[in-house]
Amino acid sequence: MAISHLASGQVTKVLPIEASLAEVKTTALFKGPHLEVIRMVLLAGKKIPPHQVSGPITIHCLKGEVDVGVESERKVLRQGDLLYLAGNVKHDLLALTDAALLVSVVLLSNTD
């Protein structure tokens, strides 16, 4: 089943505080020609293996704690923290607790 993206002007809750994170799914909130925004939910112990994307990204921790590997360093993001990564920076994630993240990815075209 395809996830429907937000329409222009549509409002959504980024962090459903009243719900347990175990009941919330990762959702691509919207994707345009140059930007994608994702609400990522990681339950404690969940790992996202090392990867990189061509454009810059931000990872904003909305709830919980996440250990982020950035090349050879480890950083712990807690509620309210925001991490910026330039394009092509290898990173991985490990949820230390149930966590919700707002991930913004700049999408580069082949002509950029």
Side-chain angles (χ1 to χ4, degrees), residues 35-111:
L35 180 67
E36 181 173 19
V37 176
I38 303 156
R39 180 187 61 216
M40 181 177 287
V41 175
L42 300 173
L43 299 182
K46 174 72 176 176
K47 295 179 183 180
I48 304 293
H51 64 285
Q52 61 195 44
V53 295
S54 58
I57 68 170
T58 61
I59 303 171
H60 181 184
C61 185
L62 301 171
K63 190 171 185 177
E65 291 186 355
V66 177
D67 181 292
V68 183
V70 179
E71 296 181 328
S72 62
E73 288 185 59
R74 305 299 309 173
K75 301 175 184 297
V76 175
L77 298 182
R78 294 177 177 87
Q79 185 172 332
D81 291 344
L82 180 113
L83 174 66
Y84 162 75
L85 296 174
N88 295 310
V89 172
K90 188 175 280 190
H91 59 283
D92 63 86
L93 299 114
L94 168 63
L96 300 175
T97 66
D98 291 352
L101 307 169
L102 187 66
V103 179
S104 300
V105 181
V106 175
L107 303 172
L108 300 178
S109 68
N110 292 333
T111 60

